[in-house]
Amino acid sequence: MDYKAKTVAGLLAATCVFSIIALILSVVNVKDVFLPPSTKYGLVFDAGSTHTALYIYRWPADKENGTGIVSQVEACTAPGEGISSYADNPAEAGASLKPCLDKAMKIIPAEQQRDTPTYLGATAGMRLLREQNSTKAEQVFAEVSKAIGKYPVDFRGAQILTGNEEGSFGWITINYLLETLVKYSFAEKWEHPRDTEVLGALDLGGASTQITFQPGVTTEDNSTSTFFRLYGSNYSLYTHSYLCYGQTQALKMLLADLHKGNSSSQEISHPCYPMGYQENVTMSALYNSPCVRAPSTPSPAQVLTVIGTGDPAACSTAIRKLFNFTCGANRTCGFNGVYQPPVRGQFFAFAGFYYTFHFLNLTSQQSFSDVNSTIQTFCNKSWAEVTQKQLQLHHTQWLVMVHQRTSSQKNANMNDPD
Ligand SMILES: Nc1ncnc2c1ncn2[C@@H]1O[C@H](COP(=O)(O)OP(=O)(O)OP(=O)(O)O)[C@@H](O)[C@H]1O
């Protein structure tokens, strides 16, 4: 991974970016740029399934071919989990945003606060809650809107991004940061880099995962195609978001699958947990999402004991069962029969991919065999050898590996110099 890619990876980790810049770029109203003063601010809440972050942006009040050049001033992580976790206590969702809004008010000059466009974009956690209980989802949105509305900002609304928006905004963000869309030249001018190929984007969130790239062919399924005009150039993209295939939800599907394999037992043998690890989980906690189907005779209070068996091969097999690689009517597909044209070009993987690979010191374009052997070594560690913090990674790296292999690595050369 070259210096620029490393810098971008760091930036992505630091900001947990899902598309913030893209959101600003695409929604900043043209009228704003004619207003004094010359620097404008914008606030974007990234309301993810696992956590919410507020990003404070600043940009000069002129535009490059109709698209703003934006820099991040500050990022603030809201306390607690994602807003969808407050489904039964929606007022708390609003309260969780206040510390970050207070921080923003200290940064943005008072005379500019009322001109500061403010957005909240929610992703897969809220898409799942809406699927499960649309009234609760609306209540959460009403409370977060009420909380933001109490601050002297130009609140433009809270919305649930579609999977396509999430995927394509992520693509714009990484290509913006890698300067493949526009670049500040030595001549101190913004220029279109010549002969640079834009990168495909692989985003592993908590509740969904997205793949987005410029296909070399016409997209056969219109629901997966999207079009952008940025800095004077046109981009036609393939994008798809797999709901439930984010890290947290996929692991829930895995646990439910393992339970289904022996549902009469109170114990679940888990090959992806280290040997010697044990935890209790209630049926209600396991089956609390539309991503997993509860047994026909539910007993919510029943406690299941998950016992780690530390078996990487069995773990890999169990994870593979979550993916269906039959393409059905489509000639080419990603998985679960979803149309996907042949992958093309280099890919940049971020979010959950980055956290895991960073932890394993695998972000320097190691070969795929090095990646595999590092993962094998880590997965063969017992519970006594890994800390609680490492546990999450211990059982998620297999998901990352299999997912990478299946959804993209099969055809793409993703950060792999071999
Ligand atoms: N610093 C970290 N170290 C390890 N894992 C992390 C870290 N931060 C987030 N994760 C995990 O990585 C996954 C992706 O995180 P991310 O912040 O992109 O999700 P999200 O935005 O909340 O989810 P979604 O986009 O699906 O709504 C989640 O499962 C999360 O638990």
Side-chain angles (χ1 to χ4, degrees), residues 18-19 23-24 26-28 44-48 83 118-127 130 137 140-142 144-145 148 155-166 169:
F18 77 85
S19 62
L23 198 58
I24 284 267
S26 48
V27 292
V28 167
V44 179
F45 279 101
D46 169 359
I83 57 171
T118 302
Y119 303 88
L120 182 141
T123 50
M126 285 302 288
R127 289 203 285 278
R130 184 174 57 187
V140 167
F141 260 71
V144 295
S145 300
I148 300 171
F155 181 41
R156 308 268 181 102
Q159 68 179 93
I160 300 178
L161 301 185
T162 65
N164 278 15
E165 284 169 339
E166 193 177 356
F169 289 169

Side-chain angles (χ1 to χ4, degrees), residues 50-125:
T50 60
H51 75 287
T52 300
L54 173 63
Y55 297 93
I56 304 171
Y57 294 101
R58 186 169 51 196
W59 64 94
D62 56 346
K63 285 190 165 191
E64 164 68 21
N65 283 344
T67 316
I69 304 295
V70 179
S71 57
Q72 185 180 306
V73 182
E74 184 70 58
C76 171
T77 302
E81 295 180 33
I83 57 171
S84 55
S85 69
Y86 298 104
D88 294 323
N89 190 2
E92 282 297 307
S96 75
L97 307 185
K98 287 181 182 161
C100 287
L101 282 161
D102 290 339
K103 189 171 184 181
M105 293 305 101
K106 290 197 181 107
I107 291 171
I108 302 170
E111 65 278 11
Q112 280 178 258
Q113 291 173 356
R114 290 202 182 276
D115 287 330
T116 298
T118 302
Y119 303 88
L120 182 141
T123 50

Side-chain angles (χ1 to χ4, degrees), residues 214-226:
Q214 263 192 316
V217 295
T218 309
T219 306
E220 287 171 22
D221 175 354
N222 281 342
S223 70
T224 62
S225 77
T226 182

